[in-house]
Amino acid sequence: MRLSKSWTVAAKDLRIFKKKKVIVYSIVFFQIIVSVGLPLIIKVAESRSNSVRAAALPQVLDSFSFWYVIGSSILPLSLASYSLIGEKVQKSLEPLLATPTTDEEILAGKSIAAALPGLAATYLGATLFMVLMDRITHAKLGYLYYPNWNMAVILLVLTPLTIIYSIGVNILISSRSNDVRSAQQLGALMVLPLGLIYVLSETRVISLSVTNLLIIAAILAAADVAAFILAKAAFQREEILTRWK
Amino acid sequence: MIEVNNLSKVFGRVTAVDNVSFNVAKGEIFGFLGPNGAGKTTTIRMLCCLISKSGGEARIAGLNTSDAADSLQIRKLIGLVPDNVGLYEELSASDNLDFYGKLYECPADRRKENIETYLKMMGLWEKRDQPAGDFSKGMKQKLALARALVHDPGLLFLDEPTANLDPEAARLVRNLILELKQQGKTIFLNTHDLDEAQRICDRIGILSTKLLAINTPEELTSSVPGGKTVIQLERIDEAMLNALKKLKPPNFSIEENRFLIDVADPQKENPEYVRALVAAGGNVQFVTRSNPDLEEAYLKIVRDNR
């Protein structure tokens, strides 16, 4: 596989994304809501009743950090949908597939394009989140909570694995859909298990310790392999030209 | 340039292309005519290594379309304009070509030169920075043609390149195709437009799942029996009409002062018609033969093979 070809495809997709304001706004708004909104919740709760106990804060912050895993499953959805369904709607897959580029190179290019903005936005947003949270919680905790190992596992292991899973699932959905919105809505269903983990951690049924995060990472890695195999099977030129609806 | 032997494609229980064999020489414009669903696009897709074949063999410049390594080489040698042009509407004309030039591994300096050459050739150079989405249908078609040429392929596959274009844009595209032929390019053209095929193709294949006929446009039309004899008279009256009817021609019509008579054997029948008309007082000005045009030939060939 020639990465230069994949990068050419990815660069073209990134250029198109930049021109689609709805994509840019969806990425920026999500990060603002999570990275600024969550620290604000702590700030408001603290200033109103001073009721946030220092002992309870780490669990709350760990649960909040998990939003970046949820976010990395959502952000590539719109990008992957636009990337593939956009090509289907514009009927540009046929001339693209007629070039001396392999299916794997095109698939890798599309995956890179769908992954990069989400990854960059997640890392920037998480940095802002950590700085704001530290400022707000430092006095109460007496130490800087971030960065920590939990966040490191979330950002360096879980985020890329979730993005890969999200893209794999979206390729499968896009192969059967002609509408970006319906593809996004279907793709959003994959957030449910991650949302469940978040709810369980907020309700203290499970703790998002490093060990538990690594267990989630192992499950996601297995799901990635399955999604990748299925996506690769769906992304065959003959399949695309004769069966994709 | 193209060698096709017993090529077939089956989708489930449906045979899309059935044992098709033909060759296309270098520098030739080869036209594929056929009704909707005849297998024209499927054939192009097999030749462009986009879909696999179910049987037979196809070679492009000696390379086997079924071989994975050969197929990458073949795709470097060809340019494709599919029936849906499939441009990136958000990107400018120039960026569309640059993207494809990179994928076709065209070196940067040659890519830049070719983008300028072909955009100028298509009359789009002044609009090179405009998004393709702002272009008219004709401009998009020309841009798609430029995209297929950006890596200087020797062989072009054009799938309905003038469909949905207004007559002026269609003529422009046809002239461009002829210009490309003059540059030595081989052109494989799928078309519904019989007039277009007759005017620009060196040879035509008529496909309806099977290849029904293949020849030059002239040979195809002359090979179809059922031409008409045109007899022009100074004037036509009742007596001449009755005289003609007595000879019981299978079909005839009158256009102004001309009889158009369906004739199976002109050498035997024409003198009889002329004698009868003269005997009825007709003043024959000239007798000529009207061969069926490509449309008649095409319709007859397709009908006969149903």
Side-chain angles (χ1 to χ4, degrees):
Chain A
M1 196 171 86
R2 296 155 298 178
L3 275 177
S4 62
K5 294 255 182 177
S6 302
W7 180 247
T8 302
V9 174
K12 182 269 295 172
D13 275 0
L14 289 170
R15 220 165 176 170
I16 292 174
F17 293 159
K18 246 172 67 184
K19 301 196 179 202
K20 288 196 181 288
K21 295 283 178 272
V22 65
I23 291 179
V24 178
Y25 291 154
S26 69
I27 292 172
V28 172
F29 283 148
F30 184 87
Q31 290 308 325
I32 289 173
I33 289 167
V34 175
S35 307
V36 180
L38 294 179
L40 271 179
I41 289 173
I42 300 289
K43 176 90 178 156
V44 170
E46 183 68 13
S47 63
R48 278 199 177 165
S49 56
N50 200 19
S51 62
V52 182
R53 288 181 295 115
L57 257 181
Q59 174 114 20
V60 172
L61 295 183
D62 285 347
S63 296
F64 280 180
S65 305
F66 199 73
W67 268 102
Y68 287 97
V69 179
I70 294 173
S72 19
S73 72
I74 296 170
L75 292 178
L77 278 181
S78 57
L79 300 169
S81 302
Y82 273 108
S83 170
L84 282 164
I85 297 176
E87 297 255 14
K88 275 167 82 172
V89 170
Q90 293 192 347
K91 314 262 184 205
S92 49
L93 278 169
E94 190 168 355
L96 178 63
L97 293 168
T99 62
T101 314
T102 63
D103 300 346
E104 291 79 13
E105 286 160 355
I106 295 172
L107 186 59
K110 300 242 154 245
S111 304
I112 291 167
L116 276 186
L119 203 60
T122 300
Y123 286 169
L124 283 173
T127 307
L128 179 65
F129 169 83
M130 287 190 282
V131 169
L132 291 177
M133 270 311 189
D134 276 343
R135 283 194 67 149
I136 292 165
T137 59
H138 183 244
K140 190 118 201 168
L141 290 172
Y143 64 95
L144 293 177
Y145 191 72
Y146 294 109
N148 58 23
W149 284 109
N150 288 49
M151 201 55 159
V153 172
I154 283 175
L155 293 180
L156 301 176
V157 182
L158 278 172
T159 296
L161 286 174
T162 311
I163 285 176
I164 294 169
Y165 180 60
S166 174
I167 291 168
V169 169
N170 213 266
I171 288 166
L172 289 172
I173 294 168
S174 298
S175 69
R176 292 286 175 268
S177 174
N178 271 329
D179 174 40
V180 174
R181 265 190 207 158
S182 60
Q184 285 171 350
Q185 282 161 1
L186 268 174
L189 292 177
M190 63 163 286
V191 177
L192 291 178
L194 298 172
L196 182 68
I197 292 171
Y198 172 73
V199 171
L200 291 176
S201 78
E202 279 284 23
T203 51
R204 305 196 177 192
V205 176
I206 58 165
S207 82
L208 293 175
S209 61
V210 170
T211 312
N212 283 347
L213 288 174
L214 288 173
I215 291 169
I216 296 168
I219 295 167
L220 263 175
D224 279 359
V225 173
F228 179 75
I229 290 169
L230 291 172
K232 198 166 172 284
F235 203 86
Q236 301 289 323
R237 61 192 57 217
E238 180 143 5
E239 181 90 3
I240 292 166
L241 290 172
T242 57
R243 299 224 175 99
W244 279 29
K245 300 287 176 229
Chain B
M1 194 70 174
I2 304 175
E3 299 157 68
V4 175
N5 289 308
N6 302 315
L7 190 66
S8 298
K9 180 68 187 178
V10 179
F11 294 108
R13 290 180 186 170
V14 179
T15 302
V17 177
D18 189 6
N19 270 311
V20 168
S21 300
F22 61 89
N23 290 326
V24 178
K26 195 170 183 294
E28 186 178 14
I29 300 184
F30 181 82
F32 235 16
L33 285 176
N36 289 331
K40 303 188 299 291
T41 298
T42 302
T43 304
I44 277 197
R45 285 178 172 177
M46 283 192 281
L47 295 178
C48 292
C49 312
L50 287 168
I51 58 173
S52 61
K53 61 182 173 54
S54 305
E57 190 186 53
R59 288 184 173 273
I60 306 282
L63 300 162
N64 190 341
T65 55
S66 305
D67 183 274
D70 278 4
S71 78
L72 276 179
Q73 288 302 315
I74 288 170
R75 281 187 253 146
K76 282 184 195 172
L77 300 174
I78 64 174
L80 168 69
V81 179
D83 52 352
N84 288 298
V85 290
L87 297 163
Y88 296 111
E89 307 230 322
E90 300 84 357
L91 299 183
S92 69
S94 172
D95 285 345
N96 264 283
L97 299 194
D98 190 56
F99 169 63
Y100 277 93
K102 281 180 188 163
L103 288 185
Y104 278 111
E105 300 162 30
C106 191
D109 49 347
R110 190 155 68 92
R111 198 165 68 232
K112 197 176 163 204
E113 196 179 303
N114 283 357
I115 289 171
E116 185 172 345
T117 304
Y118 289 114
L119 283 180
K120 280 183 176 167
M121 183 179 174
M122 305 295 162
L124 297 172
W125 178 243
E126 302 305 321
K127 298 184 189 297
R128 63 188 177 278
D129 295 325
Q130 275 187 28
D134 292 353
F135 285 8
S136 68
K137 271 186 182 171
M139 286 158 74
K140 282 181 184 172
Q141 196 71 42
K142 287 193 282 180
L143 184 56
L145 202 50
R147 178 187 63 194
L149 290 163
V150 75
H151 57 297
D152 283 329
L155 172 59
L156 277 175
F157 287 95
L158 312 177
D159 199 356
E160 311 275 357
T162 57
N164 306 317
L165 294 186
D166 62 61
E168 196 183 347
R171 194 173 67 175
L172 254 165
V173 171
R174 276 196 291 271
N175 289 342
L176 287 168
I177 293 170
L178 289 170
E179 205 175 320
L180 293 169
K181 176 188 161 66
Q182 281 174 352
Q183 290 176 11
K185 303 215 184 279
T186 309
I187 294 160
F188 189 104
L189 174 76
N190 271 359
T191 182
H192 272 130
D193 189 331
L194 299 159
D195 180 52
E196 174 177 282
Q198 190 156 22
R199 271 198 269 175
I200 67 174
C201 293
D202 297 314
R203 279 189 314 140
I204 290 170
I206 297 178
L207 185 77
S208 182
T209 308
K210 290 171 188 280
L211 189 59
L212 306 179
I214 184 165
N215 219 322
T216 61
E218 298 74 29
E219 286 295 322
L220 274 177
T221 51
S222 63
S223 67
V224 177
K228 292 183 194 302
T229 291
V230 181
I231 303 174
Q232 182 166 315
L233 297 123
E234 193 181 333
R235 62 181 177 80
I236 294 174
D237 62 19
E238 199 63 30
M240 293 172 210
L241 195 60
N242 289 334
L244 190 67
K245 280 179 182 170
K246 268 186 194 167
L247 293 172
K248 295 182 182 163
N251 195 18
F252 77 93
S253 58
I254 299 170
E255 276 181 15
E256 295 177 352
N257 55 344
R258 286 192 297 268
F259 281 113
L260 279 77
I261 311 162
D262 281 6
V263 173
D265 183 355
Q267 286 177 331
K268 178 175 172 282
E269 295 172 40
N270 282 356
E272 289 173 10
Y273 291 127
V274 172
R275 265 198 305 273
L277 289 169
V278 170
N283 190 9
V284 176
Q285 291 178 320
F286 59 79
V287 180
T288 183
R289 182 160 172 81
S290 158
N291 279 324
D293 59 14
L294 187 59
E295 184 177 314
E296 285 173 88
Y298 165 82
L299 290 173
K300 186 165 183 358
I301 290 168
V302 171
R303 256 198 314 263
D304 287 355
N305 283 280
R306 266 191 190 137

